[in-house]
Amino acid sequence: MQDGRRIARNAALMLLKQAIMAVLGVVFVGYLARKVGVAAWGEFQASLATAGMVTLVAGVGVRGYLAREVAVRPELGPRHLGAALAIRGVTGTLVLGATAAVALATRSGLGAQLVVLAAASQLATLLYSTMWLSFEAHERFQYILYAELGARLFVIALAAALLALGFGVVAAATAFLLGNVLELGITYHFLRARLYRPELSTPPAELWEITKRSLPIGALGVLASALLQTDRVMLRALCDEEAVGVYSAAWVLSESFRMLPDVLLGAAFAAGMRLYAQDGEAFGRLYSGCMLVAALVGLPVAAGLFVLAPDVIRLVYGTAADYAPAADVLRILACSVPVMFAFQVVTLPLLAAKREVAMVKLLALTLAANVALNLLLLPRYRALGAAGATLAASTGSLLASWIMTARWARFVAPGRVLAILAATALMGVAAYAARALAGMWASIAVGVAVYVVLLVALRAVSFRELRALLARRVRASPAAAT
């Protein structure tokens, strides 16, 4: 199968997974947040962020480093996966176990219970996400879809039942833990049945060498994940759990869309690594196609969320006044969606060229800027300040990375990007007018229709490409069409 067709198929599978997870997740998050209240919701989100931050040091970079090696040499899969599980399993158990012990020793009540449950849940996540490196390297994305969908349905059903019976946020956190354990089991089943069994035969000396070689790319993962968690952790430290709850109400909604860039990069990752080494022109066409997809999807998502933020918050969280401030937070976070889309595409040549050290320096500066902005803004603006810090830091990171990869910008057709920008702006105006006249659902219908018509009228895409995109055929991606 040609690279373009394979990328389009993989992207379709991952987008399908993300679409299903987003719909289910939004419905469930709204129910959970309403049932437990903004303070308990904020405490729950803070515990997840704490466990996520601690996990960053567990086998840093091993997953990404070995996935890249397996993508180029598939026969290394069993041995490399075994090495990744050994390194990440041991380090994850140590750091998360220490986190749970510290929480029990220094805290009491709800906060300590949630941190312990989050740590155990994060360990299961660490193990099954490590196994995903084989599915990604061998481009078997459908098994990730099956595992995610099965586990999330279980979590939603169990947690919703427990909340309906009168149990609180601790019961919901326990359901999350059981769901992650189930996802670990499903993932291992598909790994054994469809690919291979991990080989835990790598000697300690070689494991240490792998760990050292993984450190540059691992630092990237640490910094990228820290950028996602920093706002909630600092809000909890500098403000209170209610500020975390308001911010998280908007963050979990925008995060459903911010995950789409990861889908795009994941679908193109294996082919991108090969094309960069073998055919520069083909890689340039892939880069151009991914950038156009980023603009086609990221810009209208941001515009739509900006216009409809108050309606979305009311739809998901009800009319409770506690969550109303999340609408303005969501508007700011929505603006970062196209920024993250473009950033993932721009960094593809940096990853292919193994310029992890340069990327580490860039993300370290971005994290430092984010922390500094949070320190400046949180005391006065609280959740709104955290969102502004995230947008400012991510925009600066995109501009810097664009300069670092300027040679690939020549492959992107500026006329098509400008046409997409114009179509998005006009769509936003039409959606705003429709919302004022007839409400949210009319605004969505008008916005989609206007955007599609304008894309064709302004020649951002051809009618043939658009028809293929809507039919979800393998020509859906501009990379494939190229």
Side-chain angles (χ1 to χ4, degrees):
M1 182 182 290
Q2 295 179 347
D3 283 321
R5 291 168 61 90
R6 183 166 53 249
I7 291 168
R9 181 201 64 188
N10 293 336
L13 283 170
M14 297 301 286
L15 286 171
L16 174 63
K17 184 205 82 162
Q18 191 59 33
I20 296 172
M21 293 300 104
V23 173
L24 293 176
V26 165
V27 173
F28 173 65
V29 160
Y31 178 71
L32 171 60
R34 288 196 299 269
K35 290 290 288 184
V36 303
V38 66
W41 168 245
E43 196 71 72
F44 176 55
Q45 286 292 320
S47 70
L48 294 177
T50 300
M53 289 283 283
V54 170
T55 312
L56 298 180
V57 300
V60 288
V62 169
R63 183 183 183 277
Y65 172 77
L66 294 180
R68 185 170 61 188
E69 298 298 310
V70 176
V72 178
R73 297 181 60 192
E75 69 276 7
L76 297 177
R79 182 177 174 85
H80 275 357
L81 176 58
L85 285 171
I87 295 171
R88 302 188 88 202
V90 171
T91 56
T93 300
L94 291 175
V95 297
L96 289 167
T99 301
V102 170
L104 291 173
T106 60
R107 304 177 66 177
S108 61
L110 180 63
Q113 295 177 56
L114 290 177
V115 170
V116 172
L117 290 170
S121 182
Q122 191 63 38
L123 180 59
T125 301
L126 182 72
L127 294 174
Y128 74 65
S129 63
T130 301
M131 295 181 191
W132 283 4
L133 78 85
S134 292
F135 296 143
E136 293 166 354
H138 296 287
E139 298 178 287
R140 304 288 184 88
F141 291 87
Q142 65 269 32
Y143 302 123
I144 298 178
L145 169 62
Y146 302 153
E148 277 277 272
L149 183 58
R152 293 313 100 187
L153 287 174
F154 171 82
V155 168
I156 290 171
L158 179 59
L162 291 172
L163 290 170
L165 291 172
F167 295 97
V169 69
V170 173
T174 303
F176 273 79
L177 167 60
L178 296 176
N180 284 336
V181 173
L182 175 62
E183 189 161 359
L184 173 60
I186 295 173
T187 300
Y188 184 71
H189 165 73
F190 283 121
L191 180 69
R192 285 284 310 275
R194 305 300 182 184
L195 285 176
Y196 40 68
R197 177 189 299 189
E199 294 180 1
L200 300 172
S201 58
T202 307
E206 188 174 341
L207 291 176
W208 175 242
E209 287 300 317
I210 290 173
T211 302
K212 289 193 295 184
R213 291 196 295 269
S214 303
L215 287 178
I217 198 170
L220 282 179
V222 168
L223 292 168
S225 297
L227 283 168
L228 291 177
Q229 312 294 350
T230 296
D231 292 336
R232 289 177 293 168
V233 173
M234 293 190 68
L235 273 170
R236 184 64 183 86
L238 300 178
C239 300
D240 51 43
E241 65 272 18
E242 291 191 8
V244 182
V246 169
Y247 180 82
S248 298
W251 184 84
V252 296
L253 297 178
S254 67
E255 188 65 11
S256 298
F257 295 100
R258 285 163 57 93
M259 291 288 287
L260 293 174
D262 294 329
V263 171
L264 179 64
L265 182 63
F269 180 80
M273 299 304 101
R274 290 192 298 269
L275 290 177
Y276 187 89
Q278 300 168 5
D279 188 341
E281 289 296 318
F283 179 84
R285 293 193 296 271
L286 171 66
Y287 179 90
S288 172
C290 289
M291 187 61 75
L292 289 175
V293 170
L296 278 168
V297 180
L299 289 171
V301 165
L305 281 177
F306 192 90
V307 170
L308 299 175
D311 305 280
V312 172
I313 293 298
R314 282 194 297 271
L315 177 67
V316 176
Y317 299 105
T319 58
D322 289 340
Y323 289 106
D328 290 333
V329 178
L330 180 57
R331 280 181 163 145
I332 296 176
L333 292 178
C335 296
S336 67
V337 172
V339 174
M340 295 308 300
F341 262 97
F343 180 77
Q344 291 283 39
V345 178
V346 169
T347 55
L348 187 60
L350 293 175
L351 287 172
K354 301 184 179 181
R355 295 181 61 189
E356 291 90 359
V357 174
M359 293 181 66
V360 166
K361 294 177 181 178
L362 172 62
L363 289 186
L365 289 174
T366 304
L367 180 60
N370 191 28
V371 170
L373 288 171
N374 273 315
L375 290 172
L376 178 66
L377 298 174
L378 294 193
R380 180 174 180 180
Y381 298 103
R382 296 168 64 84
L384 204 61
T390 293
L391 177 59
S394 60
T395 301
S397 181
L398 171 62
L399 293 175
S401 58
W402 184 276
I403 293 172
M404 293 167 64
T405 59
R407 60 174 291 213
W408 298 104
R410 64 185 177 88
F411 287 94
V412 180
R416 298 182 79 176
V417 175
L418 290 174
I420 295 170
L421 283 168
T424 301
L426 294 173
M427 180 210 77
V429 173
Y432 181 82
R435 176 181 179 270
L437 293 173
M440 180 181 72
W441 299 110
S443 177
I444 294 173
V446 169
V448 170
V450 168
Y451 185 63
V452 171
V453 171
L454 288 173
L455 286 179
V456 177
L458 298 175
R459 297 183 180 179
V461 296
S462 68
F463 182 74
R464 177 182 63 82
E465 290 172 336
L466 187 60
R467 183 176 59 186
L469 180 64
L470 294 176
R472 291 174 57 192
R473 296 169 61 183
V474 293
R475 295 193 306 275
S477 167
T482 304

